[in-house]
Amino acid sequence: MADRQQIKENIKNRSEKAKAAALAPTSNTALQMLRYVVVSLAAAAVDWLVFAACTWIFGETDRFLGIQFKFYFTTISSLLGGIVNYVMSKRWVFNQSKMSNRLMEFLFFTLIGGIGLVLNIVTLKIFADFIGMNARVAKIISIVVVFFSTFFIRKYCLFNDKKKD
């Protein structure tokens, strides 16, 4: 009986250590990228689900002010995904910021997200309109392109252990 209790205690201790390590702040780029994958998957799920729901409900090619609906929808879905990304990134991925002013940090984070949005729209335009791919499939490709570009821009331009305003 004592051996079983000891095994249970060891498992519990290892589990607690693993949980603490998974949640602990880190400046290790590989671990940050792995965490950013998880964060980005959550943000991408929000992004894609909102985009897909909008295109299924309202259509892809109808126009408003001469612009196809899918480009409005990708803007809305990207912004919602960006909010998810910011909240989760601040709490789990990037433990240090160059900025002490949180409003400025959020604005720069959003600006980088805007760069990602432009890449998102350009990629969607290329694959959906020029190549003729299904818009929902093209959206997946654009999410991958935006993932890598925004991770490295955010990591090296906004988040690290050197403070500056």
Side-chain angles (χ1 to χ4, degrees):
M1 279 295 185
D3 289 335
R4 282 189 188 178
Q5 187 63 27
Q6 183 67 27
I7 291 170
K8 286 181 181 179
E9 285 295 318
N10 285 342
I11 291 172
K12 182 179 177 184
N13 288 339
R14 287 182 184 170
S15 174
E16 288 173 2
K17 285 180 184 178
K19 182 179 177 182
L23 298 176
T26 184
S27 59
N28 179 295
T29 300
L31 184 54
Q32 285 178 330
M33 183 173 269
L34 180 62
R35 289 177 177 184
Y36 197 71
V37 166
V38 174
V39 167
S40 293
L41 286 173
V46 169
D47 186 340
W48 191 86
L49 288 169
V50 169
F51 178 81
C54 289
T55 58
W56 280 323
I57 293 168
F58 300 104
E60 296 176 18
T61 58
D62 289 339
R63 294 177 180 270
F64 178 70
L65 299 175
I67 299 173
Q68 291 179 341
F69 280 0
K70 67 184 166 200
F71 295 108
Y72 291 111
F73 301 149
T74 202
T75 301
I76 293 165
S77 67
S78 292
L79 290 172
L80 292 173
I83 291 169
V84 169
N85 194 315
Y86 177 75
V87 170
M88 291 180 73
S89 289
K90 278 296 296 172
R91 293 180 184 261
W92 192 44
V93 179
F94 302 113
N95 58 312
Q96 296 290 325
S97 175
K98 283 186 175 185
M99 307 184 122
S100 56
N101 183 323
R102 295 296 160 233
L103 177 59
M104 290 302 294
E105 177 186 77
F106 179 75
L107 292 174
F108 277 106
F109 192 93
T110 303
L111 177 66
I112 294 166
I115 293 167
L117 177 60
V118 170
L119 284 171
N120 197 331
I121 290 171
V122 168
T123 305
L124 186 64
K125 183 91 174 150
I126 290 168
F127 286 95
D129 290 350
F130 297 141
I131 296 176
M133 189 179 287
N134 175 283
R136 288 178 281 281
V137 175
K139 180 66 174 173
I140 293 169
I141 294 170
S142 72
I143 288 169
V144 171
V145 169
V146 170
F147 165 80
F148 284 105
S149 59
T150 58
F151 172 80
F152 286 107
I153 293 170
R154 285 175 174 147
K155 169 136 177 92
Y156 293 109
C157 295
L158 186 58
F159 296 106
N160 69 20
D161 55 0
K162 297 175 188 146
K163 292 233 182 228
K164 138 172 128 175
D165 275 325

